[in-house]
Amino acid sequence: MALPARQQFVYWGLAALVFLAVLWGLGAVLLPFLVGGAIAYFLDPVADRLERLGLSRVMATALIALIATLGFVVGGLLIVPMLVRQLAGLVAAAPDMTKHLLDFLNQQFPQMHQRGSVINETLQSLGEAVKARGGELAQTVLTSAMSLVNFAIFVVVVPVVAFYMLLDWDRMIARVDSWLPRDHLAEVRAIAREIDKVLSGFVRGQVSVCVIMGTFYAALLMLAGLNFGLLAGAIAGTLTFIPYVGAILGGGLAIGLALYQFWGDWLQIGIVVGIFGLGQFLEGNVITPKFVGQSIGLHPLWLIFALSAFGTLFGFVGMLVAVPVAAVIGVLARFMLMRYLKGELYLGQAGTEQDRRG
């Protein structure tokens, strides 16, 4: 006999509260396990495909781990130091850029930037703030990212967790499936498949899009001769998963740098603008439809709200779980809406009886 709906709601509500309490109390401890689990989830289709090609699960996991290690080493030795150098260089050059901007605005709009005016004082204070705090800000960003957990432990634990979770992923899914309530097995499995569809469409697809677009922007901007092109491309690619934000911030940074570096050379400036125009076209019409799909049921506004809310409440760990939780809530909301539209509360008694006869 199935439990009453009210009692089921109490049980699932308590489970959600326990989840939030654990996330609140053990966020820093859970971080390497969450990252490792996310990596395993992302790579599970690759391991399944290697198994279909004839490799055992152990061999498939070992091959993936070897390739990932090589990629990590190459990135750590080549790309990351370049990004750090460009970030430090951009912070060092920011006061000079601000001064040039202020001089340009004073020349073009002298009536708006007279001494003592609000805009003039604001720009001057902005330049002083960047000069005084820029290096400190860059250092804070770098050190805070490392101090989320002890970096050495993080580097050791995440690959181990990812390896073993990837190795045992299918067995873990089968074990969880055996724990599902028997009276609602079909419905829970259907909801789980829908959640997996949303997550795989967004997480796996969007990570691929971010990597592709970041590589595209960084490579072309560097070929165009733009200083700090790698940094601007990395920012644009990393933020691509938030609609328009990556293009606005990365594109705005790149075009601003191009105006500063190539002022008067409109061809070079046009090339930088064209790179982002081409990137937006390819992303919207080719890359995102191929890797993410036209619709994954995760609205951009809902995603932004989830990232903001969980980031505020639980910090960086909250941002990691924001997308999965948003996907789960979205799928459950659609499921409950579907049940409501077929129920007596919406249709009324006569509508429900007619629907049953039909």
Side-chain angles (χ1 to χ4, degrees):
M1 178 179 179
L3 290 174
R6 185 186 299 273
Q7 195 169 351
Q8 292 185 43
F9 179 80
V10 172
Y11 286 148
W12 289 113
L14 289 174
L17 290 176
V18 170
F19 168 76
L20 293 176
V22 170
L23 192 65
W24 179 278
L26 299 176
V29 178
L30 292 175
L31 179 59
F33 297 92
L34 291 174
V35 174
I39 294 173
Y41 175 77
F42 183 81
L43 294 176
D44 179 62
V46 180
D48 291 339
R49 182 168 296 183
L50 291 175
E51 283 189 281
R52 290 194 293 269
L53 293 176
L55 295 180
S56 65
R57 187 71 181 193
V58 175
M59 290 299 298
T61 304
L63 179 60
I64 293 172
L66 177 61
I67 296 174
T69 301
L70 292 175
F72 180 80
V73 171
V74 171
L77 294 178
L78 298 179
I79 299 176
V80 174
M82 291 177 62
L83 284 173
V84 173
R85 285 197 301 270
Q86 290 202 4
L87 176 59
L90 180 59
V91 170
D96 188 50
M97 293 180 182
T98 304
K99 182 179 181 301
H100 279 76
L101 175 61
L102 182 60
D103 293 340
F104 173 79
L105 293 177
N106 282 329
Q107 292 174 4
Q108 299 297 320
F109 310 101
Q111 69 279 9
M112 297 178 60
H113 300 277
Q114 297 175 356
R115 183 175 298 275
S117 66
V118 175
I119 298 178
N120 185 58
E121 292 182 356
T122 300
L123 290 174
Q124 286 183 345
S125 62
L126 177 61
E128 293 298 325
V130 171
K131 183 177 180 180
R133 300 292 184 180
E136 180 182 340
L137 176 61
Q139 185 65 26
T140 300
V141 170
L142 294 174
T143 56
S144 63
M146 299 301 184
S147 63
L148 292 169
V149 291
N150 184 286
F151 185 65
I153 297 177
F154 186 83
V155 170
V156 172
V157 172
V158 168
V160 173
V161 171
F163 179 86
Y164 281 105
M165 290 192 72
L166 182 61
L167 181 64
D168 296 329
W169 189 268
D170 293 337
R171 286 195 291 268
M172 289 190 299
I173 295 300
R175 178 61 60 87
V176 172
D177 183 77
S178 69
W179 296 338
L180 297 178
R182 301 294 99 178
D183 288 333
H184 305 283
L185 187 60
E187 288 183 338
V188 175
R189 283 176 173 172
I191 293 173
R193 284 193 296 269
E194 183 65 19
I195 292 172
D196 178 67
K197 178 182 177 182
V198 173
L199 279 180
S200 61
F202 184 84
V203 177
R204 294 177 182 137
Q206 202 63 64
V207 167
S208 301
V209 172
C210 289
V211 172
I212 292 171
M213 295 310 301
T215 304
F216 172 86
Y217 287 132
L220 291 188
L221 290 175
M222 292 175 69
L223 288 175
L226 181 68
N227 294 334
F228 314 114
L230 177 63
L231 181 62
I235 292 174
T238 302
L239 298 178
T240 295
F241 75 97
I242 306 177
Y244 307 112
V245 172
I248 292 174
L249 293 182
L253 175 61
I255 294 172
L257 291 171
L259 289 171
Y260 174 77
Q261 180 180 346
F262 303 122
W263 182 256
D265 189 348
W266 301 109
L267 177 60
Q268 284 292 112
I269 296 172
I271 289 174
V272 174
V273 174
I275 288 172
F276 274 88
L278 177 61
Q280 286 302 291
F281 175 80
L282 293 175
E283 178 193 342
N285 295 277
V286 179
I287 299 173
T288 296
K290 178 176 178 60
F291 287 93
V292 180
Q294 296 294 338
S295 176
I296 58 172
L298 200 58
H299 196 278
L301 292 179
W302 172 234
L303 174 65
I304 293 172
F305 172 79
L307 287 170
S308 301
F310 275 79
T312 301
L313 292 174
F314 305 107
F316 183 70
V317 176
M319 295 184 69
L320 286 180
V321 303
V323 172
V325 172
V328 171
I329 294 175
V331 171
L332 292 177
R334 288 194 294 272
F335 173 77
M336 290 186 289
L337 178 61
M338 182 183 64
R339 294 292 295 267
Y340 162 72
L341 293 176
K342 293 182 179 180
E344 184 176 344
L345 180 61
Y346 174 75
L347 296 173
Q349 187 173 1
T352 306
E353 292 176 355
Q354 182 179 358
D355 184 65
R356 289 173 180 171
R357 289 196 299 268

